[in-house]
Amino acid sequence: MSPDFLMIGSFGLLLLAGVPVAFALGLAGAVGIVTGLSPDMLAALGTNTYNSIAKYPLIAIPLFILTGLIFERAGVAARLVRFAQALIGPRHGGLALVAVLVCLIMGGMSGSGPADAAAVAMVMLPSMTRAGYPRPFSATLIAASASTAILIPPSVALILYSIVVPGVDLRALFAAGLFPGILAGVALLLPAFWLSRRHGWEAPSEVERPALGESFRQAIPALFAPVLILGGLRSGLFTPTEAAVAAVAYGVVVGLFLTRELDWRELWRLVGEAATISGVVMLIIALAGIFAWAGTMLGTFRHLAEWLITLSDNGAVLLTLIMIAVLLAGMLLDAISIYLILMPILIPVMQHFGWNPVWFGILLAMNIAIGQYTPPVAVNLMVTTEVAGIRLEQTLGWALVFVAAMAIALLLVALFPPIALWLPGVLGYNV
Amino acid sequence: MKPQPDARLERVLATLALVVIALISFANVVVRYVTDASFAFTEEISVFLLVVVTFAGAAVALRRNGHIRIGLVERALPPGPRRVLIALQGLAGLVVLGLITGYGAQMAWQEYHWQSLSPGLGVPQWWYLVWLPLLSLAMLVRLVQQTLDRLRGGLDDES
Amino acid sequence: REYSVSTVLSNAFPWGQAADKWAELVKERSDGRITLRVYPNSQLVNGDQTREFSAMRQGLIDMAVGSTINWSPQVPQLNLFSLPFLMPDYDAVDAVTGGKAGEMVFDAIESRGVIPLAWGENGFRELSNSKLPINEPEDLDGLKIRVVGSPLFHDTFTALGANPTQMSWADAKPALTTGAVDGQENPLSVFDVARIDQVGQKYLTLWHYMNDPLIFAVNRNVWQQFPEKDRELLRQAAEDAGAWEIEKSRGERDDRLAAIKERGVEVVELDDAQHQAFVDATRSVYNTWTPKIGEALVETARQAAENR
Ligand code: NA
Ligand code: NA
């Protein structure tokens, strides 16, 4: 058997056996090295593990994870919900609209979805349930809406994409993610709205409406956070890493002095939580470095890319195939792993067909966002179903509805690239 | 949720490292805009601290069985075979962490032996590198603890 | 078997072309027995070019065409070439690398566990930035400049009043793009091919403050496994590839400068007095670094440059 095959095969087996993705990548890389290169080269497990993560741009990842945690724990989700409720008022589907809207705004403060999903679910699920929405529906809707956090800047997945794909400007990626993220939110909202009306969830009279002015005043600090992050990047005042640390500082001020829901002890705990989550994400990056090194030295990625290109001369056909493959991968794997495993194979294909790397990165991100709420492995759904006290299997039907909805948004961005590329162009970034 | 097992030492280390990263980055932004100076050369330290955050944080997550993985097959198995699978998972992690610890130590030792310096601050490179085998060893210990807990049925296995 | 050759830049640049030429000559002269495969962009060390030498010493990389700057963390003598304004022109460069100083440098590399074979050239490094034309050291005040490889650059740019920051090439272009750094220093070929002008670097000062040679080298175990005949073949091919690349890249310099000006980059050429101001401002670097590099080596190189 060829070392290529042994490496990829052992990776698949280890994944199925429930070995953590990071270790599966490292061990499969070691298998490739031993069978295809020389056992001496296992030394890559020292050198390349270290090199893969000792990179300055990666510092933005723990900082944006911390930003998200701080804002969630600072109680901004509840304030955003009250403001959105005051704005929208009780009507069929009103709370569904509130949930989607709040997830989108929370996505503008955090770099990845699961924590957003948990925060919004905790605030919204009780009132949605009281208003008559079935728990599995609410849990799935929130999980799906929270997945837009990796599209709406800041985004941990897009930071990684800009590092893996040489020459792509992270600011352009961040700007390009905004409208596809909003579009995805709208795509989720339409079926949610229609279902609410059809089933008569949330009768217009049943829910009390908060005062608009007061709830707006309370929501201002939260609404300002995405403005600070995007505006700081746009004005050239901040680099992405600096934007991340500015956002952390702002969140600390909001939590300690404005909402006063944080104290120093809690802050220390949150930093530890952010470090732990970062450890999970970054360990995958470290050990994917071994997998990538072995795949490069063995020529595995080169062969796979060449094989992919022979499948079809037609770019549209190949793009469709790639998107289906990523969708399937997204059922099982997380965003970071998918980027790291697939990009060495897909970059040559992207260059072969001359696809715009920013647009392609956004398409992948949308696809991977869908993966965050497709069973069986669905990080966002896992947290919302836990909050809702239901089993993951109960959400399957609703999940299919929302997968189809966001897939349509994905198709639109694929057919009309300006949805992604217009904003970075207007802001003057190279796309 | 029931209380999770903790890796206190690594948690404190990872937390401190991230606090220092945030403070250095923040001070750099402030100093640069106020005085037009900067201490950009400290980026080498931030990058090193990122390595500490990664491996110390990963050790904490390991103790809690919190690393991303696919638990489908595992959950479908009856208790007996599941224990075998858990042992195999532990073994796979043990091999990877053993290799990282061993070759990480070799790398740090070689750089010590050849007296390599860091490119930014010119301090001995092994000062930074030696943390890879150390923290990888800590992860290895946490992996063993976690695997034993799970074999005794003490940790939840959903992922 | 196939041997891996690591480079930092691809074959769009003279650097990568040097490695390609080496591979081509070796294949031709060994009748296809020995194959070298070039891996550009420091991909074998995950983009961290300052760890290339260590990886080659460990056997993770069989061979490399590397810059003296990137290998200086492991071989302190290589800081010689980074001493500001040591070598004023190509003749001085050739006198240093081709003479006694060059031999001393090769001995130093061999004593650190890697076999050096031949010289190439990355070129004279010129200074660019996004803020203002640089005519005198004072213009550098407060500019954040990306450098790589050695704290020597920290001392040089600090002496000039700038804020140096150490960063690999893989991180440098995004950093220039986002304005995380204001300036960089690289040979004209790199400025031209990597289209540094597109990331806002509008001002270029030709100050020739240093020239980093490239070195063709092999892992010691790999070298010892070759029979004597093949070693000679590899060394001769490296020398021929290096000579070919040096001539080619020097010959292209004028065209590159014209192309850069064509794109609207404001190019500053220093007159003698302006140039001297930079030389004077960086003299302190020699005090700190001569002992670290070795008195004898610095003196030998200085004389070679003077008597060119
Ligand atoms: Na986000
Ligand atoms: Na999924």
Side-chain angles (χ1 to χ4, degrees):
Chain A
M1 270 189 287
S2 80
D4 291 348
F5 181 81
L6 282 171
M7 184 173 84
I8 292 175
S10 59
F11 175 63
L13 273 180
L14 289 164
L15 270 188
L16 278 182
V19 173
V21 180
F23 293 152
L25 285 165
L27 196 52
V31 167
I33 291 171
V34 170
T35 56
L37 301 166
S38 112
D40 291 343
M41 290 194 174
L42 283 175
L45 276 117
T47 301
N48 294 64
T49 308
Y50 194 96
N51 292 354
S52 309
I53 49 167
K55 294 181 192 302
Y56 190 73
L58 288 176
I59 288 177
I61 290 181
L63 290 176
F64 274 131
I65 289 176
L66 180 59
T67 307
L69 289 182
I70 288 177
F71 276 106
E72 277 134 22
R73 228 54 67 86
V76 300
R79 287 168 174 76
L80 284 172
V81 167
R82 266 202 303 281
F83 172 56
Q85 275 178 308
L87 210 58
I88 292 157
R91 63 184 73 223
H92 290 301
L95 284 171
L97 176 56
V98 170
V100 174
L101 210 59
V102 172
C103 281
L104 291 178
I105 300 171
M106 295 293 287
M109 303 171 214
S110 87
S112 64
D116 289 350
V120 177
M122 269 186 272
V123 178
M124 298 255 356
L125 263 167
S127 48
M128 286 183 82
T129 307
R130 249 178 290 138
Y133 295 89
R135 282 168 187 273
F137 168 84
S138 311
T140 317
L141 177 66
I142 293 170
S145 314
S147 78
T148 59
I150 69 169
L151 285 166
I152 293 175
S155 156
V156 169
L158 292 179
I159 293 173
L160 197 72
Y161 182 82
S162 79
I163 291 169
V164 180
V165 183
V168 175
D169 182 352
L170 178 57
R171 296 169 308 166
L173 277 169
F174 272 7
L178 187 62
F179 283 117
I182 293 172
L183 178 68
V186 172
L188 296 172
L189 195 64
L190 293 177
F193 224 73
W194 181 77
L195 285 164
S196 308
R197 294 194 148 257
R198 182 154 169 249
H199 293 288
W201 297 329
E202 192 181 353
S205 59
E206 283 169 30
V207 186
E208 178 191 339
R209 190 168 179 165
L212 187 61
E214 174 57 18
S215 62
F216 175 65
R217 206 182 59 75
Q218 293 267 337
I220 288 176
L223 291 171
F224 185 68
V227 178
L228 174 83
I229 294 170
L230 270 183
L233 284 171
R234 166 67 199 111
S235 64
L237 203 64
F238 300 140
T239 66
T241 309
E242 291 172 349
V245 80
V248 168
Y250 177 68
V252 169
V253 170
V254 169
L256 286 179
F257 306 114
L258 292 177
T259 69
R260 300 209 184 132
E261 294 195 16
L262 274 183
D263 56 31
W264 291 103
R265 177 185 291 271
E266 175 72 355
L267 196 58
W268 173 262
R269 206 188 59 74
L270 284 182
V271 178
E273 203 51 42
T276 310
I277 297 171
S278 308
V280 172
V281 172
M282 302 273 304
L283 188 71
I284 293 174
I285 300 176
L287 289 168
I290 303 300
F291 190 77
W293 188 84
T296 304
M297 288 288 278
L298 291 168
T300 314
F301 300 147
R302 206 168 52 238
H303 302 150
L304 277 172
E306 284 161 6
W307 171 76
L308 262 181
I309 290 168
T310 61
L311 283 183
S312 171
D313 296 334
N314 185 327
V317 171
L318 206 56
L319 187 66
T320 310
L321 286 178
I322 289 173
M323 286 299 140
I324 292 171
V326 175
L327 195 66
L328 293 176
M331 292 175 69
L332 291 174
L333 284 171
D334 58 288
I336 304 293
S337 309
I338 292 177
Y339 267 123
L340 289 167
I341 296 166
L342 292 184
M343 283 324 289
I345 304 166
L346 295 184
I347 289 172
V349 179
M350 178 173 90
Q351 287 164 344
H352 178 83
F353 286 102
W355 294 333
N356 181 300
V358 172
W359 170 72
F360 188 61
I362 298 300
L363 288 184
L364 281 181
M366 290 188 87
N367 202 331
I368 294 166
I370 295 174
Q372 292 192 323
Y373 60 93
T374 48
V377 180
V379 275
N380 288 6
L381 260 185
M382 253 151 47
V383 297
T384 57
T385 51
E386 187 168 322
V387 173
I390 53 175
R391 280 174 295 111
L392 194 70
E393 295 85 86
Q394 293 173 269
T395 63
L396 193 60
W398 300 119
L400 283 175
V401 172
F402 293 121
V403 168
M406 212 192 276
I408 290 170
L410 170 65
L411 189 66
L412 285 174
V413 179
L415 291 176
F416 307 104
I419 297 173
L421 300 181
W422 176 78
L423 184 61
V426 165
L427 293 178
Y429 303 137
N430 251 325
V431 288
Chain B
M1 271 193 273
K2 56 181 168 183
Q4 291 175 310
D6 191 14
R8 186 154 187 272
L9 188 68
E10 295 94 313
R11 185 167 50 74
V12 171
L13 192 64
T15 310
L16 267 180
L18 187 49
V19 167
V20 176
I21 289 176
L23 288 179
I24 291 181
S25 312
F26 188 67
N28 231 326
V29 179
V30 172
V31 169
R32 184 138 67 97
Y33 285 105
V34 176
T35 69
D36 206 39
S38 87
F39 33 106
F41 59 95
T42 57
E43 283 176 4
E44 178 171 297
I45 295 174
S46 297
V47 167
F48 158 68
L49 289 171
L50 181 65
V51 174
V52 175
V53 169
T54 300
F55 289 100
V60 180
L62 198 53
R63 185 69 189 89
R64 296 177 187 167
N65 193 20
H67 281 276
I68 297 173
R69 61 196 196 90
I70 301 173
L72 274 186
V73 174
E74 183 184 299
R75 279 194 300 272
L77 289 177
R82 182 190 293 188
R83 286 162 66 92
V84 176
L85 192 66
I86 289 174
L88 284 175
Q89 292 166 358
L91 189 68
L94 209 65
V95 172
V96 175
L97 291 173
L99 287 170
I100 295 176
T101 308
Y103 285 105
Q106 188 202 57
M107 167 178 73
W109 188 85
Q110 286 190 348
E111 298 299 271
Y112 167 78
H113 172 75
W114 294 105
Q115 299 171 353
S116 299
L117 300 177
S118 74
L121 296 172
V123 299
Q125 182 75 37
W126 70 269
W127 290 4
Y128 297 136
L129 298 181
V130 75
W131 289 86
L132 175 67
L134 284 180
L135 291 170
S136 166
L137 189 65
M139 286 177 70
L140 205 147
V141 172
R142 299 304 181 183
L143 173 77
V144 172
Q145 288 179 325
Q146 178 238 75
T147 306
L148 291 177
D149 274 2
R150 292 175 67 208
L151 286 173
R152 291 191 207 107
L155 274 183
D156 286 338
D157 274 330
E158 83 265 52
S159 73
Chain C
R1 75 176 177 99
E2 194 177 89
Y3 295 90
S4 57
V5 181
S6 171
T7 64
V8 174
L9 296 179
S10 74
N11 58 11
F13 303 82
W15 191 337
Q17 291 160 7
D20 276 8
K21 189 73 177 177
W22 189 22
E24 180 194 314
L25 291 178
V26 168
K27 185 165 195 170
E28 199 176 283
R29 293 175 189 178
S30 68
D31 297 320
R33 269 186 312 114
I34 308 174
T35 317
L36 312 187
R37 182 180 282 280
V38 180
Y39 293 89
N41 305 320
S42 322
Q43 57 180 299
L44 297 184
V45 275
N46 295 83
D48 189 349
Q49 63 210 44
T50 63
R51 311 263 312 131
E52 184 182 61
F53 189 90
S54 294
M56 177 164 47
R57 186 163 57 196
Q58 272 184 297
L60 293 179
I61 296 172
D62 297 317
M63 308 177 189
V65 179
S67 141
T68 52
I69 300 179
N70 296 328
W71 294 358
S72 62
Q74 291 82 26
V75 188
Q77 289 87 342
L78 290 177
N79 280 302
L80 173 73
F81 300 97
S82 309
L83 284 171
F85 307 103
L86 175 74
M87 302 178 294
D89 52 29
Y90 288 133
D91 286 340
V93 176
D94 293 340
V96 172
T97 56
K100 180 82 175 49
E103 283 170 29
M104 291 166 81
V105 168
F106 270 21
D107 287 346
I109 293 175
E110 202 160 340
S111 77
R112 299 277 171 169
V114 165
I115 310 293
L117 300 182
W119 298 97
E121 184 168 277
N122 195 21
F124 275 107
R125 301 177 78 89
E126 317 294 6
L127 179 69
S128 78
N129 83 98
S130 58
K131 302 273 180 189
L132 77 172
I134 305 230
N135 295 295
E136 50 180 17
E138 287 68 34
D139 295 333
L140 270 160
D141 251 2
L143 287 190
K144 194 169 172 188
I145 309 287
R146 173 264 174 181
V147 296
V148 73
S150 169
L152 189 156
F153 293 100
H154 177 251
D155 294 351
T156 301
F157 282 90
T158 305
L160 292 167
N163 290 314
T165 177
Q166 143 79 25
M167 198 178 280
S168 70
W169 176 243
D171 300 342
K173 212 171 167 190
L176 290 166
T177 309
T178 57
V181 300
D182 303 314
Q184 60 95 44
E185 44 79 57
N186 255 310
L188 287 184
S189 60
V190 177
F191 192 95
D192 177 29
V193 180
R195 293 305 306 271
I196 303 286
D197 57 297
Q198 283 181 340
V199 293
Q201 297 285 291
K202 287 178 290 205
Y203 307 98
L204 182 66
T205 298
L206 303 181
W207 65 341
H208 316 318
Y209 87 124
M210 67 161 291
N211 183 319
D212 58 325
L214 302 174
I215 295 172
F216 295 68
V218 188
N219 165 281
R220 187 152 63 189
N221 290 335
V222 170
W223 183 248
Q224 280 161 355
Q225 281 160 17
F226 281 114
E228 186 57 43
K229 189 169 69 67
D230 287 347
R231 288 190 204 169
E232 193 37 50
L233 188 158
L234 276 165
R235 184 192 299 278
Q236 192 57 52
E239 278 175 12
D240 295 347
W244 172 85
E245 183 263 341
I246 291 173
E247 195 188 330
K248 181 166 185 288
S249 76
R250 288 180 187 178
E252 288 167 347
R253 197 173 177 278
D254 290 343
D255 289 346
R256 294 201 186 279
L257 188 57
I260 291 166
K261 285 179 176 162
E262 186 95 339
R263 294 183 201 131
V265 175
E266 189 175 333
V267 177
V268 177
E269 309 207 32
L270 303 176
D271 63 31
D272 286 348
Q274 286 173 322
H275 188 262
Q276 193 57 39
F278 284 97
V279 175
D280 293 340
T282 53
R283 191 147 287 161
S284 62
V285 176
Y286 281 74
N287 302 335
T288 324
W289 283 87
T290 304
K292 297 186 189 182
I293 297 166
E295 303 271 358
L297 177 56
V298 174
E299 189 50 31
T300 311
R302 218 183 44 74
Q303 280 179 13
E306 225 158 69
N307 306 330
R308 65 187 180 272

